């Protein structure tokens, strides 16, 4: 077991080390997962933080080649929750002692949209008496919009880089001004500069992705000093331009295992960040998210979107829990999380320790 142990004992992993770990099988894979489990319990503990996920609209102005709710997909049935429906979901999360909510949706940019989100943020603060953590995942926005939302009560933002390799990014997106790698990178930097707890992530197993790309994604997250990560397997959707490339994909099980290894390696590389067990894991394996918690993730995002809308937020096929109401998910999660030896930190915001250290470091 020489090589794996010498890699796992290193201070800093190189691209070659990461690729070696990504290819680990059998006993070597077990060693990797044991090491990441140990880091997790030592640095973030065995506590899992809940974020109630509200997928409030699937209306999007963009056309990412992988996404089922892209603008050009005329088969997608569009919806937009009312403010009252969103706030009911917020109340559900608050009353069930989820420490935070996530507002996620298609990317829209307009003064009316900015105002709507600001209003919702203020109402969320009122409802929860300022206690509920709020994450936004609403794509690229101008700096002043990010600032406005921060001032109105959001404090975390998730913007996946999707692929840190520029060429790969370009293969996954149309070539125009709004699907631009530099713009995405700039947005991520802006989020960090204006003061958000900043999250990013990638899809794992997309067409054209190589081992080196995945290793570089993890190095990108480390170099960017990111606070939170949500990364999950790519799952094809038949009404998207990437669907014809499905023959080139690794099997779903391989993409699933690769995602677990990415999470484990990242936990070893970035010990005190928050790592989410992505919903897409559950689309492949019913216990997918719990398996991710076991080997390094510490955040789970139960879907609290009203059941009747969930069917229409179809980024990919087999999206789980689309016909359940939120309460069913909470009950089943409780049992399943304790099965992997973790405990739910009810009522806690669960801010990433990394954020506070980063802010302190930059103030020195
Ligand atoms: N529109 C915002 C954005 O793109 O940042 C937020 C919502 S978007 C649906 C959230 C994430 O879904 C994207 O960052 C992307 O990584 C993921 N996603 C989209 N299509 C997917 C697919 N087919 N398989 C897995 N993940 C997918
Ligand atoms: Fe829109 Fe986000 Fe889907 Fe891209 S990934 S099409 S921005 S919802």
């Amino acid at each position: 077991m020489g090589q794996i142990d010498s890699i796992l004992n290193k201070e800093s992993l190189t691209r070659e080390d990461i690729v070696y770990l990504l290819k680990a099988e059998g006993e070597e894979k077990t060693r990797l997962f044991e090491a990441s489990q140990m880091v997790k319990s030592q640095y973030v503990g065995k506590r899992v933080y809940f974020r109630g996920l509200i997928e409030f609209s699937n209306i999007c102005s963009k056309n990412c080649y992988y996404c089922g709710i892209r603008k050009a997909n005329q088969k997608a049935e569009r919806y937009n929750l009312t403010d009252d429906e969103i706030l009911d979901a917020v109340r559900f999360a608050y009353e069930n002692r989820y420490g935070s909510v996530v507002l996620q949706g298609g990317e829209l940019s307009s003064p009316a949209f900015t105002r709507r989100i600001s209003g919702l943020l203020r109402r969320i603060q009122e409802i929860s008496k300022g206690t509920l953590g709020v994450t936004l995942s609403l794509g690229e926005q101008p700096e002043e919009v990010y600032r406005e939302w921060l001032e109105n009560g959001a404090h975390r933002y998730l913007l996946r880089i999707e692929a840190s390799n520029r060429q790969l990014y370009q293969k996954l997106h149309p070539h125009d001004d709004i699907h631009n790698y530099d713009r995405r990178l700039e947005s991520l930097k802006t989020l960090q500069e204006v003061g958000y707890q900043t999250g990013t992530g990638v899809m794992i197993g997309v067409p054209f992705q190589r081992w080196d790309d995945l290793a570089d994604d993890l190095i990108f997250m480390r170099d960017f000093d990111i606070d939170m990560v949500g990364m999950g397997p790519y799952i094809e959707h038949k009404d998207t331009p990437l669907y014809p490339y499905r023959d080139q994909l690794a099997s779903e099980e391989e993409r699933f295992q690769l995602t677990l290894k990415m999470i484990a390696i990242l936990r070893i590389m970035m010990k005190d960040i928050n790592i989410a067990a992505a919903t897409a894991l559950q689309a492949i394996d019913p216990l997918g998210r719990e398996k991710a918690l076991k080997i390094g993730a510490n955040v789970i995002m139960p879907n609290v979107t009203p059941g009747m809308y969930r069917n229409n937020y179809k980024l990919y096929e087999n999206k789980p829990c689309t016909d359940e109401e939120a309460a069913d998910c909470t009950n089943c999660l409780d049992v399943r999380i304790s099965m992997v030896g973790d405990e739910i930190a009810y009522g806690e915001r669960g801010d990433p320790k990394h954020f506070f250290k980063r802010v302190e470091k930059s103030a020195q």
Side-chain angles (χ1 to χ4, degrees), residues 60 62 64 66-69 104-108 137-140 157-162 184 201-204 206 230 232-237 240 280 313-317:
C60 187
K62 289 176 85 169
C64 308
Y66 40 83
C67 180
I69 62 171
Q104 188 177 82
E107 185 174 313
L108 292 178
S137 177
L138 301 171
E140 295 155 44
Y157 206 103
L158 284 177
L159 186 75
R160 286 186 175 182
I161 189 73
E162 313 294 2
R184 192 125 188 122
V202 293
M203 282 173 297
I204 295 158
V206 282
Y234 162 72
I235 303 174
E236 59 273 31
H237 187 295
T240 59
Y313 198 79
K314 276 224 162 118
L315 313 179
Y316 42 79
E317 313 288 331

Side-chain angles (χ1 to χ4, degrees), residues 186-352:
E186 272 313 306
S187 297
L188 199 59
K189 280 195 194 125
T190 305
L191 287 166
Q192 209 174 43
E193 280 161 15
V194 304
Y196 280 93
Q197 295 175 17
T198 307
T200 196
V202 293
M203 282 173 297
I204 295 158
V206 282
F208 325 119
Q209 190 177 49
R210 301 159 311 146
W211 293 103
D212 280 356
D213 294 324
L214 289 168
D216 289 345
D217 288 338
L218 296 182
I219 292 171
F220 170 86
M221 292 168 197
R222 179 177 66 193
D223 293 350
F224 208 95
D225 218 0
I226 214 75
D227 305 307
M228 331 181 287
V229 170
M231 53 186 170
Y234 162 72
I235 303 174
E236 59 273 31
H237 187 295
K238 62 180 178 347
D239 303 315
T240 59
L242 279 193
Y243 196 62
Y245 297 92
R246 65 192 178 284
D247 298 343
Q248 298 179 13
L249 300 175
S251 71
E252 283 202 341
E253 175 58 20
E254 283 165 332
R255 278 176 266 163
F256 179 81
Q257 289 300 329
L258 202 50
T259 304
L260 292 186
K261 288 184 216 169
M262 286 283 282
I263 292 174
I265 299 166
L266 184 66
R267 175 55 73 203
I268 292 167
M269 290 169 69
M270 300 192 76
K271 300 181 171 27
D272 57 0
I273 63 169
N274 279 352
I275 305 180
T279 312
L281 283 165
Q282 199 193 352
I284 297 183
D285 179 333
L287 285 176
R289 292 179 303 174
E290 291 75 6
K291 288 180 183 169
L293 291 173
K294 193 157 191 244
I295 53 86
N298 68 325
V299 167
I300 197 159
M301 308 199 325
N303 198 330
V304 296
T305 313
M308 59 189 173
Y309 295 109
R310 286 194 212 172
N311 255 330
N312 294 333
Y313 198 79
K314 276 224 162 118
L315 313 179
Y316 42 79
E317 313 288 331
N318 299 328
K319 202 164 166 242
C321 272
T322 47
D323 53 2
E324 283 179 22
E325 281 299 334
D328 299 325
C329 282
T330 314
N331 294 339
C332 62
L333 272 173
D334 234 338
V335 177
R336 295 190 331 213
I337 288 172
S338 58
M339 261 161 50
V340 296
D342 278 359
E343 141 200 3
I344 300 167
Y346 279 113
E348 290 181 38
R349 268 178 34 156
D351 292 317

